[in-house]
Amino acid sequence: VLTRIFPFIYEADHLEAWEDKFFWGTRKKSLGKGQTARTEILFGEAHPDDIPHAREEEQFENVRPLAEELIDTLIDLLFFADFTLPINDRNRNKVTYSIWQSGVGCNTPISSSKELESNRTEILRLLLTICSKSLYMPAHSLPVKGVKAITYITTCPDKQVVLSTLKYNPASWRVPYDHMVYKDPKQVLVSYCLQFLLVLLLYPIPENGRGPPPKNYFRHFLGRLHRPQDFQFLVDGMMRTLNQPLQATSTYLPGSQKSVKWAPEIIMLFWETLQCNKRYRSFIIDTNRGHDFVILVLFYALEYKTDPTKQGVVRMCVFVLQTLSTEPNFGDRLNKKFEGQESLPTSIRLNDFSGTYADFLINSIHTLITTSQGKLDAIYPALLATLNNVAPYLTNIDAQSSSKILHLFTLMSSPSFLLANETNHTLLQSLLESMNAIVEHQYNSNPHFIHAIMRSKKRFEELRSFTLESGQEEMERLYQRRKDTAGASESTHSPARSTRNSSIDSARSPQSVRAPSLSNVPEEGGAFTIGGDDDSDDDEEQSTQNTPSQSSPSIQASRTPSAASSIDDAVPPQLRGMSEKARGKMPAGQLSFSRQSSMTSLNTHVTANLAPVTGFAPSAHWIDSWLPNLPLHTSLTLLTSTSAPQIPRALPPTIDPSPPRIHLFEWSPLSLGWYESLLWGFIFASEMVVQKGTVGVWNGTNIRLFKVEKEAVRGPSLMKPMGAVDAVGSNLVQRIGSLNLRRESAEVRGGGAVRDV
């Protein structure tokens, strides 16, 4: 009953004051009645009625708020004998904080039964519901306002309770992998355990500005784990869960294995442990298990890169990579040769690959940037920060990876990208810093990369002399070449082929109003655009590689405007490609730069048409504000020190290596709100799956933390048959689930009473 009632209380704004008073207000407990002292009259002739008699007054004492007692009782019930724990004759206490399963800090599991596991599930479900007020708060106010229930639990200084709650969760990952029985009680219990643990670990306790900041004891004790066997247990459990989809793609029995439902939560727990525990982070890197996690994280990022419902998971995977890359040893260990790449799923496997883990990472970053259909513009800075962190330690980068880095440089230095908005040049600056770090710190160990820079001499020189006029002329010239190429192909091909080319070119034409994001920027010296397999280019650099998106040209018309013009408010500000001020000026959904089919100059188009729409028009003064600050000195000095194709044997003495820089992930109230909304989105979706969408805890309530899109009702299938009994049961459940708590008041007329509906 409480599990069903709490969401409706949280949803109702007019009940907030009542909720705060009823659950969190100070209460008084009756101690019974006591007698007051009788006043004696020693003198005088008072009337008997005037003599005061002893009075009985009820005594009270202040007790804790009701919500605190409820939470404490529920936590005790998690470890209550004959309810969630088996009866132990040796222990007479009803409440014993025993670890449910073997795992961190415990090697001896206790016996269990279906009844005990069912009781544990219901208690955890109610605790999650009590903590779910986050769902009914906007993301931007959640880290500031907080949730009293979670604050109370996380600030509990009782170490024994905290560690017991932490330890029972990982062991329960050892569950059957059969996805056909997701309603298996053990798997449901595992989901609730993991989700409740993450709710407590991720919670940012609001600061009141008085005294030291409050401490989250769950994060504190997680950060104090230090035994190698505990770390190994955590690693094995995470790897076993995350590795299932890779095994499913290589099995001879399709569908016999499938990723468990809580894989995103495992990635989140892995990220939290990396941030909380420096020893764990060192353990991952020093034991080379970091290689396995890099491959797994890249798999999930590449697998979900175009799925609109999984964009939060992709972003989280990229932030995990950035967190790992802050350790210097991580970059050095990426130079290990990648064995067994052929066993990877086809979605992330590289053809004819024989490089290192660093080469695989570079290729994956290139793929995420150029084939994400513009949906990952918000994390371009995080991807480039990862590359920047590891660049000073990379050695023996192969020719393919070197070409990928220079390919990104060509895209980001193109006029159409630089002039798209006022902050795209910061992405180019970050990439140039990575390239400089490789040259300055590992010059002799990367001949392929040095040769690739030599071949791009023209591009560097054009960037040095870049002006607004030259950029606009280059864009006009590339557009005209594309138009001529499209016209020539239409006149020489068969009608069927012409029809196909016409449809493709119409998607690329200026009339489609497609913005020059990194996924569709034309490159120097040719009409090639990322995503177009019908383009041809005789440029030397383009002859060495093809981008992965060339096989899907028809999708490119749906690209987002620019590298940072369509970021939602839930993304951390330091990860955005443009500033808040610029975003405020730009209307939602508007393009940052459009190409018209007319033959008028782009200068007239930009000043006359673009500025009123987007609020940004590139100017010569704006270019002069950032162009001189681009870190081009290292590359230009290298290019002018000798003539290609000859490569200097040593780093020119005029190049002074700068110390490696570490780009950390910075938290802010906005990024914390996004993180919380991501977790509660996982919990909400999981509850809908467990309960088949009808009797979910939060079903039918007004969620404010994120947007819930209703899916069309699906009919019966082989996996989910529906007969007459199922139909009647579903109808009954829907009717019960649609009940809402509301009060209708009516005036009392003719002795009538107020009705509660």
PDB file of all heavy atoms in Angstrom, residues 70-89:
ATOM      1  N   LEU A  70      10.292   5.278   9.885  1.00  0.00           N
ATOM      2  CA  LEU A  70       9.883   4.356   8.831  1.00  0.00           C
ATOM      3  C   LEU A  70      11.100   3.811   8.095  1.00  0.00           C
ATOM      4  O   LEU A  70      11.205   2.599   7.843  1.00  0.00           O
ATOM      5  CB  LEU A  70       8.939   5.064   7.861  1.00  0.00           C
ATOM      6  CG  LEU A  70       8.511   4.266   6.624  1.00  0.00           C
ATOM      7  CD1 LEU A  70       7.767   2.998   7.028  1.00  0.00           C
ATOM      8  CD2 LEU A  70       7.637   5.131   5.705  1.00  0.00           C
ATOM      9  N   ILE A  71      12.032   4.695   7.738  1.00  0.00           N
ATOM     10  CA  ILE A  71      13.230   4.262   7.010  1.00  0.00           C
ATOM     11  C   ILE A  71      14.071   3.327   7.876  1.00  0.00           C
ATOM     12  O   ILE A  71      14.558   2.287   7.406  1.00  0.00           O
ATOM     13  CB  ILE A  71      14.046   5.489   6.557  1.00  0.00           C
ATOM     14  CG1 ILE A  71      13.269   6.271   5.483  1.00  0.00           C
ATOM     15  CG2 ILE A  71      15.410   5.081   6.034  1.00  0.00           C
ATOM     16  CD1 ILE A  71      13.911   7.588   5.092  1.00  0.00           C
ATOM     17  N   ASP A  72      14.273   3.683   9.135  1.00  0.00           N
ATOM     18  CA  ASP A  72      15.049   2.819  10.023  1.00  0.00           C
ATOM     19  C   ASP A  72      14.397   1.452  10.182  1.00  0.00           C
ATOM     20  O   ASP A  72      15.080   0.420  10.205  1.00  0.00           O
ATOM     21  CB  ASP A  72      15.200   3.480  11.399  1.00  0.00           C
ATOM     22  CG  ASP A  72      16.142   4.670  11.366  1.00  0.00           C
ATOM     23  OD1 ASP A  72      16.904   4.779  10.386  1.00  0.00           O
ATOM     24  OD2 ASP A  72      16.100   5.491  12.301  1.00  0.00           O
ATOM     25  N   THR A  73      13.080   1.441  10.272  1.00  0.00           N
ATOM     26  CA  THR A  73      12.370   0.167  10.407  1.00  0.00           C
ATOM     27  C   THR A  73      12.545  -0.693   9.164  1.00  0.00           C
ATOM     28  O   THR A  73      12.766  -1.906   9.256  1.00  0.00           O
ATOM     29  CB  THR A  73      10.873   0.421  10.661  1.00  0.00           C
ATOM     30  OG1 THR A  73      10.717   1.214  11.843  1.00  0.00           O
ATOM     31  CG2 THR A  73      10.126  -0.893  10.833  1.00  0.00           C
ATOM     32  N   LEU A  74      12.467  -0.074   7.985  1.00  0.00           N
ATOM     33  CA  LEU A  74      12.624  -0.828   6.741  1.00  0.00           C
ATOM     34  C   LEU A  74      14.036  -1.379   6.601  1.00  0.00           C
ATOM     35  O   LEU A  74      14.223  -2.522   6.143  1.00  0.00           O
ATOM     36  CB  LEU A  74      12.289   0.069   5.544  1.00  0.00           C
ATOM     37  CG  LEU A  74      10.818   0.466   5.401  1.00  0.00           C
ATOM     38  CD1 LEU A  74      10.628   1.460   4.271  1.00  0.00           C
ATOM     39  CD2 LEU A  74       9.946  -0.763   5.170  1.00  0.00           C
ATOM     40  N   ILE A  75      15.040  -0.589   6.985  1.00  0.00           N
ATOM     41  CA  ILE A  75      16.419  -1.088   6.920  1.00  0.00           C
ATOM     42  C   ILE A  75      16.610  -2.247   7.886  1.00  0.00           C
ATOM     43  O   ILE A  75      17.279  -3.241   7.569  1.00  0.00           O
ATOM     44  CB  ILE A  75      17.404   0.060   7.206  1.00  0.00           C
ATOM     45  CG1 ILE A  75      17.365   1.087   6.063  1.00  0.00           C
ATOM     46  CG2 ILE A  75      18.821  -0.476   7.382  1.00  0.00           C
ATOM     47  CD1 ILE A  75      18.288   2.263   6.263  1.00  0.00           C
ATOM     48  N   ASP A  76      16.011  -2.157   9.062  1.00  0.00           N
ATOM     49  CA  ASP A  76      16.080  -3.281  10.002  1.00  0.00           C
ATOM     50  C   ASP A  76      15.386  -4.512   9.442  1.00  0.00           C
ATOM     51  O   ASP A  76      15.849  -5.646   9.635  1.00  0.00           O
ATOM     52  CB  ASP A  76      15.452  -2.896  11.338  1.00  0.00           C
ATOM     53  CG  ASP A  76      16.328  -1.932  12.138  1.00  0.00           C
ATOM     54  OD1 ASP A  76      17.525  -1.818  11.816  1.00  0.00           O
ATOM     55  OD2 ASP A  76      15.800  -1.282  13.062  1.00  0.00           O
ATOM     56  N   LEU A  77      14.285  -4.301   8.731  1.00  0.00           N
ATOM     57  CA  LEU A  77      13.567  -5.432   8.155  1.00  0.00           C
ATOM     58  C   LEU A  77      14.377  -6.132   7.067  1.00  0.00           C
ATOM     59  O   LEU A  77      14.148  -7.313   6.782  1.00  0.00           O
ATOM     60  CB  LEU A  77      12.222  -4.970   7.579  1.00  0.00           C
ATOM     61  CG  LEU A  77      11.135  -4.642   8.604  1.00  0.00           C
ATOM     62  CD1 LEU A  77       9.889  -4.100   7.911  1.00  0.00           C
ATOM     63  CD2 LEU A  77      10.778  -5.871   9.439  1.00  0.00           C
ATOM     64  N   LEU A  78      15.323  -5.422   6.441  1.00  0.00           N
ATOM     65  CA  LEU A  78      16.191  -6.070   5.466  1.00  0.00           C
ATOM     66  C   LEU A  78      17.074  -7.131   6.107  1.00  0.00           C
ATOM     67  O   LEU A  78      17.587  -8.020   5.421  1.00  0.00           O
ATOM     68  CB  LEU A  78      17.073  -5.025   4.761  1.00  0.00           C
ATOM     69  CG  LEU A  78      16.384  -4.094   3.765  1.00  0.00           C
ATOM     70  CD1 LEU A  78      17.365  -3.046   3.271  1.00  0.00           C
ATOM     71  CD2 LEU A  78      15.820  -4.884   2.592  1.00  0.00           C
ATOM     72  N   PHE A  79      17.271  -7.028   7.422  1.00  0.00           N
ATOM     73  CA  PHE A  79      18.133  -7.966   8.142  1.00  0.00           C
ATOM     74  C   PHE A  79      17.385  -8.551   9.337  1.00  0.00           C
ATOM     75  O   PHE A  79      17.938  -8.715  10.413  1.00  0.00           O
ATOM     76  CB  PHE A  79      19.411  -7.248   8.602  1.00  0.00           C
ATOM     77  CG  PHE A  79      20.103  -6.504   7.505  1.00  0.00           C
ATOM     78  CD1 PHE A  79      19.935  -5.136   7.365  1.00  0.00           C
ATOM     79  CD2 PHE A  79      20.912  -7.172   6.607  1.00  0.00           C
ATOM     80  CE1 PHE A  79      20.562  -4.446   6.348  1.00  0.00           C
ATOM     81  CE2 PHE A  79      21.545  -6.486   5.586  1.00  0.00           C
ATOM     82  CZ  PHE A  79      21.371  -5.121   5.452  1.00  0.00           C
ATOM     83  N   PHE A  80      16.105  -8.876   9.121  1.00  0.00           N
ATOM     84  CA  PHE A  80      15.237  -9.348  10.194  1.00  0.00           C
ATOM     85  C   PHE A  80      15.098 -10.865  10.094  1.00  0.00           C
ATOM     86  O   PHE A  80      14.743 -11.408   9.039  1.00  0.00           O
ATOM     87  CB  PHE A  80      13.864  -8.682  10.096  1.00  0.00           C
ATOM     88  CG  PHE A  80      13.056  -8.762  11.355  1.00  0.00           C
ATOM     89  CD1 PHE A  80      13.256  -7.857  12.382  1.00  0.00           C
ATOM     90  CD2 PHE A  80      12.095  -9.747  11.517  1.00  0.00           C
ATOM     91  CE1 PHE A  80      12.516  -7.919  13.547  1.00  0.00           C
ATOM     92  CE2 PHE A  80      11.346  -9.827  12.668  1.00  0.00           C
ATOM     93  CZ  PHE A  80      11.563  -8.910  13.694  1.00  0.00           C
ATOM     94  N   ALA A  81      15.373 -11.540  11.204  1.00  0.00           N
ATOM     95  CA  ALA A  81      15.315 -13.002  11.225  1.00  0.00           C
ATOM     96  C   ALA A  81      13.910 -13.503  10.937  1.00  0.00           C
ATOM     97  O   ALA A  81      12.912 -12.942  11.403  1.00  0.00           O
ATOM     98  CB  ALA A  81      15.788 -13.526  12.587  1.00  0.00           C
ATOM     99  N   ASP A  82      13.840 -14.550  10.150  1.00  0.00           N
ATOM    100  CA  ASP A  82      12.592 -15.205   9.753  1.00  0.00           C
ATOM    101  C   ASP A  82      11.716 -14.321   8.863  1.00  0.00           C
ATOM    102  O   ASP A  82      10.543 -14.621   8.652  1.00  0.00           O
ATOM    103  CB  ASP A  82      11.788 -15.654  10.978  1.00  0.00           C
ATOM    104  CG  ASP A  82      10.828 -16.788  10.630  1.00  0.00           C
ATOM    105  OD1 ASP A  82      11.102 -17.496   9.637  1.00  0.00           O
ATOM    106  OD2 ASP A  82       9.818 -16.949  11.319  1.00  0.00           O
ATOM    107  N   PHE A  83      12.300 -13.228   8.350  1.00  0.00           N
ATOM    108  CA  PHE A  83      11.581 -12.389   7.388  1.00  0.00           C
ATOM    109  C   PHE A  83      12.437 -12.158   6.144  1.00  0.00           C
ATOM    110  O   PHE A  83      11.998 -12.414   5.026  1.00  0.00           O
ATOM    111  CB  PHE A  83      11.197 -11.055   8.026  1.00  0.00           C
ATOM    112  CG  PHE A  83      10.363 -10.182   7.129  1.00  0.00           C
ATOM    113  CD1 PHE A  83       9.044 -10.519   6.854  1.00  0.00           C
ATOM    114  CD2 PHE A  83      10.889  -9.033   6.556  1.00  0.00           C
ATOM    115  CE1 PHE A  83       8.267  -9.731   6.013  1.00  0.00           C
ATOM    116  CE2 PHE A  83      10.125  -8.235   5.724  1.00  0.00           C
ATOM    117  CZ  PHE A  83       8.811  -8.579   5.458  1.00  0.00           C
ATOM    118  N   THR A  84      13.649 -11.701   6.343  1.00  0.00           N
ATOM    119  CA  THR A  84      14.596 -11.570   5.229  1.00  0.00           C
ATOM    120  C   THR A  84      15.873 -12.358   5.484  1.00  0.00           C
ATOM    121  O   THR A  84      16.715 -12.472   4.583  1.00  0.00           O
ATOM    122  CB  THR A  84      14.965 -10.091   4.998  1.00  0.00           C
ATOM    123  OG1 THR A  84      15.383  -9.512   6.237  1.00  0.00           O
ATOM    124  CG2 THR A  84      13.780  -9.318   4.450  1.00  0.00           C
ATOM    125  N   LEU A  85      16.045 -12.862   6.686  1.00  0.00           N
ATOM    126  CA  LEU A  85      17.185 -13.709   7.032  1.00  0.00           C
ATOM    127  C   LEU A  85      16.670 -14.994   7.662  1.00  0.00           C
ATOM    128  O   LEU A  85      15.626 -14.998   8.318  1.00  0.00           O
ATOM    129  CB  LEU A  85      18.120 -12.996   8.023  1.00  0.00           C
ATOM    130  CG  LEU A  85      18.883 -11.760   7.533  1.00  0.00           C
ATOM    131  CD1 LEU A  85      19.714 -11.187   8.670  1.00  0.00           C
ATOM    132  CD2 LEU A  85      19.773 -12.095   6.350  1.00  0.00           C
ATOM    133  N   PRO A  86      17.387 -16.096   7.477  1.00  0.00           N
ATOM    134  CA  PRO A  86      16.963 -17.343   8.129  1.00  0.00           C
ATOM    135  C   PRO A  86      17.170 -17.261   9.639  1.00  0.00           C
ATOM    136  O   PRO A  86      17.977 -16.474  10.138  1.00  0.00           O
ATOM    137  CB  PRO A  86      17.881 -18.395   7.495  1.00  0.00           C
ATOM    138  CG  PRO A  86      19.090 -17.629   7.058  1.00  0.00           C
ATOM    139  CD  PRO A  86      18.599 -16.272   6.639  1.00  0.00           C
ATOM    140  N   ILE A  87      16.428 -18.058  10.347  1.00  0.00           N
ATOM    141  CA  ILE A  87      16.532 -18.074  11.812  1.00  0.00           C
ATOM    142  C   ILE A  87      17.856 -18.710  12.216  1.00  0.00           C
ATOM    143  O   ILE A  87      18.229 -19.777  11.727  1.00  0.00           O
ATOM    144  CB  ILE A  87      15.358 -18.846  12.436  1.00  0.00           C
ATOM    145  CG1 ILE A  87      14.028 -18.170  12.083  1.00  0.00           C
ATOM    146  CG2 ILE A  87      15.521 -18.957  13.945  1.00  0.00           C
ATOM    147  CD1 ILE A  87      12.822 -18.906  12.620  1.00  0.00           C
ATOM    148  N   ASN A  88      18.541 -18.025  13.095  1.00  0.00           N
ATOM    149  CA  ASN A  88      19.823 -18.518  13.592  1.00  0.00           C
ATOM    150  C   ASN A  88      19.715 -18.725  15.099  1.00  0.00           C
ATOM    151  O   ASN A  88      19.499 -17.777  15.850  1.00  0.00           O
ATOM    152  CB  ASN A  88      20.940 -17.510  13.266  1.00  0.00           C
ATOM    153  CG  ASN A  88      22.320 -18.070  13.561  1.00  0.00           C
ATOM    154  OD1 ASN A  88      22.456 -19.114  14.206  1.00  0.00           O
ATOM    155  ND2 ASN A  88      23.343 -17.389  13.082  1.00  0.00           N
ATOM    156  N   ASP A  89      19.850 -19.971  15.538  1.00  0.00           N
ATOM    157  CA  ASP A  89      19.695 -20.283  16.960  1.00  0.00           C
ATOM    158  C   ASP A  89      20.788 -19.658  17.805  1.00  0.00           C
ATOM    159  O   ASP A  89      20.594 -19.377  18.989  1.00  0.00           O
ATOM    160  CB  ASP A  89      19.693 -21.797  17.167  1.00  0.00           C
ATOM    161  CG  ASP A  89      18.506 -22.459  16.490  1.00  0.00           C
ATOM    162  OD1 ASP A  89      17.488 -21.752  16.307  1.00  0.00           O
ATOM    163  OD2 ASP A  89      18.601 -23.642  16.138  1.00  0.00           O
TER     164      ASP A  89
END
